[in-house]
Amino acid sequence: MPQFATKAGHRALREVRRHRSFASLRAIGALILREMQTSNGRASGGYLWTIAEPVGGIVLLTLIFSVGFRSPPIGTNFAIFYATGVVPFMCYLDVSGKVANSVRYSKALLAYPAVTFMDALLARIAFNTITHVMVSTIVFTGIYTILDTRTDPQVLGIALGMVMAITFASAIGVMNCFMFEAFTWWQPLWGILMRPLFLLSCIFFMFDDIPQPYQDWLWFNPLVHVVGQMRRSFYPSYVGEYVSHLYVFGLSLGLLAFGLMLLIRYHRDLQNS
């Protein structure tokens, strides 16, 4: 009888462990569904507005700047030139901002043992990645279909550019997830530091046209490499030798590891503060 009870106990323990092994995936899935419901949830159309808003904003900016800049630095169509810069930039800006507020946004849920800060981070990264992949697909397909861009889009190259943007955005977001909660003055300061980034990421001009020594300084901006990767994926004649995947991914993984280390060490203190 005791032997039977022991075997039954081991079997029950294995079932509990098997059940708990999928708890994180269920938590992430539930958090993603929550994001979909709360993103413009009261508006008619709900989640569709999450996609329509950035698409509309990018299209509107593209049309406005197309009127003022009819001759782009490369190619013959300003719309596609501008889109190759602004699409990955807006992806970085939105994903990094949303990931940075993951812990704050899900603070009430993190009190439950089944939900961890990693679940909140992964849910926001996954949700916003899906959103911006759809946004970029709609924008690029729309411009390429409607206008005569005279470009040759390379899907793998475009995908690599988006992966670079999302990886860097996730790393900055994770790092700021700790910084925003640990230091109240960092978030407004970060907002000030990000304002000139729109002009310093080669959205309106080519990196190759920047004179020295400013070109060497600007090289350290990872978004310059992201935009360069996107543009050489559309323009076959553009080599973009300055683009360094190693630099972007290396810097991103380093920041990501450091940010996660800080969150693992101090996330309880941040949640209770």
Side-chain angles (χ1 to χ4, degrees):
M1 188 69 177
Q3 185 178 3
F4 175 76
T6 303
K7 290 182 178 179
H10 283 307
R11 186 162 53 252
L13 183 60
R14 283 198 299 270
E15 289 178 358
V16 169
R17 286 177 177 172
R18 189 181 301 114
H19 175 75
R20 290 293 300 162
S21 65
F22 296 100
S24 185
L25 290 177
R26 289 198 302 274
I28 293 170
L31 289 170
I32 291 175
L33 291 175
R34 175 173 173 253
E35 290 274 354
M36 293 183 67
Q37 291 174 351
T38 56
S39 298
N40 299 289
R42 295 183 179 180
S44 178
Y47 175 68
L48 292 177
W49 281 108
T50 307
I51 300 172
E53 281 183 6
V55 168
I58 291 171
V59 170
L60 183 61
L61 286 173
T62 302
L63 291 174
I64 291 172
F65 286 114
S66 294
V67 174
F69 301 90
R70 294 185 179 276
S71 179
I74 185 173
T76 58
N77 185 273
F78 184 82
I80 193 67
F81 171 81
Y82 178 72
T84 54
V86 76
V87 166
F89 179 83
M90 296 301 290
C91 173
Y92 157 78
L93 211 60
D94 189 51
V95 173
S96 62
K98 294 289 178 59
V99 174
N101 288 289
S102 296
V103 170
R104 185 177 302 172
Y105 181 75
S106 302
K107 204 166 190 176
L109 295 175
L110 295 178
Y112 295 97
V115 182
T116 67
F117 77 91
M118 279 298 297
D119 297 333
L121 289 173
L122 291 173
R124 281 218 147 179
I125 291 172
F127 174 78
N128 290 285
T129 295
I130 293 169
T131 299
H132 280 279
V133 167
M134 295 174 70
V135 168
S136 62
T137 302
I138 293 170
V139 170
F140 287 137
T141 303
I143 293 175
Y144 189 75
T145 303
I146 297 171
L147 303 175
D148 181 17
T149 62
R150 298 184 183 180
T151 57
D152 182 23
Q154 302 297 314
V155 176
L156 292 179
I158 297 169
L160 177 58
M162 291 300 294
V163 169
M164 291 168 68
I166 291 167
T167 304
F168 180 59
S170 300
I172 292 293
V174 169
M175 193 69 206
N176 279 338
C177 191
F178 169 79
M179 296 294 290
F180 287 176
E181 295 296 318
F183 309 101
T184 55
W185 50 266
W186 177 249
Q187 187 167 3
L189 178 60
W190 180 258
I192 295 172
L193 294 174
M194 287 298 100
R195 291 185 187 278
L197 197 63
F198 188 76
L199 299 175
L200 299 177
S201 299
C202 297
I203 295 174
F204 294 101
F205 49 86
M206 301 297 293
F207 176 80
D208 312 79
D209 298 334
I210 301 171
Q212 294 289 0
Y214 309 108
Q215 188 180 86
D216 290 339
W217 300 346
L218 208 58
W219 186 91
F220 290 98
N221 178 3
L223 293 176
V224 169
H225 300 262
V226 174
V227 172
Q229 172 60 37
M230 293 295 288
R231 287 197 169 136
R232 71 181 188 179
S233 299
F234 278 85
Y235 300 97
S237 60
Y238 184 59
V239 179
E241 294 180 349
Y242 62 90
V243 175
S244 174
H245 307 114
L246 180 63
Y247 171 67
V248 175
F249 287 121
L251 178 64
S252 300
L253 293 177
L255 288 173
L256 187 63
F258 188 55
L260 286 175
M261 181 184 71
L262 291 172
L263 285 173
I264 291 170
R265 173 64 180 83
Y266 296 106
H267 74 279
R268 292 295 181 192
D269 299 331
L270 297 178
Q271 287 174 226
N272 297 326
S273 61

